[in-house]
Amino acid sequence: MTVRSIRAALAGAAALALSLTGCGAGDESSAGAGGTVTVFAAASLTETFTKLGKDFESAHPGTRVVLNFAGSSALATQITQGAPADVFAAASPATMKTVTDAGDAAGAPAVLVRNQLVIAVAEGNPDRVGGLADLARPGVKVALCAEQVPCGAAARSALDAAGVRLTPATLEQDVRGALAKVKLGEVDAALVYRTDVRAAAGLAAVEFPESGRAVNDYPIVVLKHAGNPDGARAFVDHVRSGAGLAVLTAAGFQAPPSR
């Protein structure tokens, strides 16, 4: 089966599934947008991109933003296998490279923001976790993202920098899965992004110096096979604008050095 036939086979099912996550539509068309813009975005962008999608729809009546959030690696695989999407925002350059190497990007990706790891613990920090070394203490259960996922690769870099060896209680496929384990009390701590802890109730963040070795750039790109390339470009311009960056930094993301 060719890549083209795979794209055709997946288009109907993926479009139906993605339609459940849309932000809602306006009533009139607007220059530079219009129609549906399908955005595949890293799970850690859920709150910010949901707001940015609604803001974009308000600024571009007649446009509907459909958001698909998951682990960046899973999204990249879906895109290279033909899932219909207009924009991809990944949580690491390595994940974005999967898409660009496959020839599925329309131009070079731009770094949107950066994110940094923290240790997520229950509010009040009952296990008195003060740094990465405490995660290796006997009896402390830790959730990590799988290493093929950006938050997992970042966690491995931080642990290696600290010389800490630990066996996680669970390996999750995205940062939200790791965070959920702490919320449910199934683990005592998780290595997740600062932004995710800020968005969660009942959790606290423990900063650690080695997180400087685990800063992830978040690239964004219009996809080559976008069904709505004009809308896709307009959406990327919107999230990279000053107003878009304000939403992202208010959530704890860092502006890229070049901005």
Side-chain angles (χ1 to χ4, degrees):
M1 182 176 286
T2 66
V3 170
R4 186 176 296 275
S5 62
I6 291 173
R7 292 184 188 280
L10 288 174
L16 177 61
L18 290 171
S19 68
L20 299 176
T21 61
C23 288
D27 300 320
E28 301 172 358
S29 296
S30 177
T36 297
V37 181
T38 301
V39 180
F40 280 27
S44 48
L45 291 166
T46 299
E47 286 80 14
T48 51
F49 265 44
T50 297
K51 175 172 173 45
L52 289 168
K54 291 176 180 176
D55 291 346
F56 183 76
E57 290 176 343
S58 296
H60 298 84
T63 302
R64 177 170 176 257
V65 178
V66 174
L67 297 165
N68 180 28
F69 298 111
S72 295
S73 300
L75 294 175
T77 298
Q78 290 172 30
I79 290 167
T80 58
Q81 290 182 349
D86 299 305
V87 175
F88 180 39
S92 74
T95 309
M96 178 61 75
K97 191 173 185 294
T98 301
V99 171
T100 57
D101 284 355
D104 286 320
V111 176
L112 177 62
V113 287
R114 312 181 91 184
N115 211 349
Q116 198 158 341
L117 291 184
V118 296
I119 303 169
V121 296
E123 204 166 40
N125 194 4
D127 292 288
R128 302 184 185 278
V129 173
L132 292 181
D134 291 331
L135 300 182
R137 291 197 326 245
V140 176
K141 295 180 180 178
V142 180
L144 298 178
C145 296
E147 286 194 34
Q148 67 268 25
V149 180
C151 65
R156 175 48 52 203
S157 295
L159 290 166
D160 287 347
V164 173
R165 299 288 179 266
L166 61 83
T167 301
T170 179
L171 290 171
E172 300 297 318
Q173 291 306 307
D174 61 50
V175 69
R176 294 308 171 93
L179 198 67
K181 296 294 184 180
V182 185
K183 286 183 179 179
L184 294 170
E186 296 179 10
V187 299
D188 304 304
L191 279 171
V192 299
Y193 295 122
R194 180 182 292 154
T195 53
D196 293 288
V197 180
R198 287 184 61 164
L203 299 181
V206 177
E207 303 278 349
F208 57 93
E210 296 85 1
S211 65
R213 305 280 189 93
V215 177
N216 274 4
D217 287 341
Y218 280 52
I220 188 168
V221 75
V222 174
L223 294 170
K224 182 177 180 181
H225 300 283
N228 184 359
D230 289 340
R233 285 189 290 269
F235 181 82
V236 171
D237 288 344
H238 175 73
V239 299
R240 296 189 68 219
S241 69
L245 185 61
V247 170
L248 290 156
T249 54
F253 287 98
Q254 304 166 28
S258 59
R259 293 199 65 132

